[in-house]
Amino acid sequence: MITHFQWKPLHKNLPGWKLSFYFNKLAVQALYHKDGSIEWIANPPAKPDEEKLTSMIHDLMVYHVYE
């Protein structure tokens, strides 16, 4: 489960966001690009968790940014 999810724009007028959150007790940082791709910066998830985590992040971004 994702906790303490935070996001902020990378640039004032361009799409792209810096994300930070906790997942499995690790502080994770990532960049969310306008095409929906995710670039892991700190503590990337293990391969078995990456697909599930990516889906959760997409849902959160739709809720917080696009609606």
Side-chain angles (χ1 to χ4, degrees):
M1 174 161 76
I2 293 176
T3 58
H4 303 287
F5 182 79
Q6 297 179 19
W7 58 273
K8 65 180 181 180
L10 285 175
H11 307 284
K12 187 174 183 176
N13 295 320
L14 298 172
W17 299 267
K18 183 174 183 180
L19 311 177
S20 62
F21 55 90
Y22 285 87
F23 182 73
N24 290 341
K25 300 180 183 177
L26 290 174
V28 178
Q29 293 182 1
L31 298 178
Y32 188 89
H33 299 284
K34 67 179 182 178
D35 64 357
S37 63
I38 298 172
E39 180 181 340
W40 306 107
I41 299 173
N43 294 322
K47 287 293 179 189
D49 294 327
E50 187 171 4
E51 187 175 329
K52 178 176 76 169
L53 184 57
T54 299
S55 176
M56 287 190 281
I57 290 171
H58 287 311
D59 290 344
L60 286 166
M61 291 303 287
V62 166
Y63 177 77
H64 287 293
V65 176
Y66 293 111
E67 287 202 3

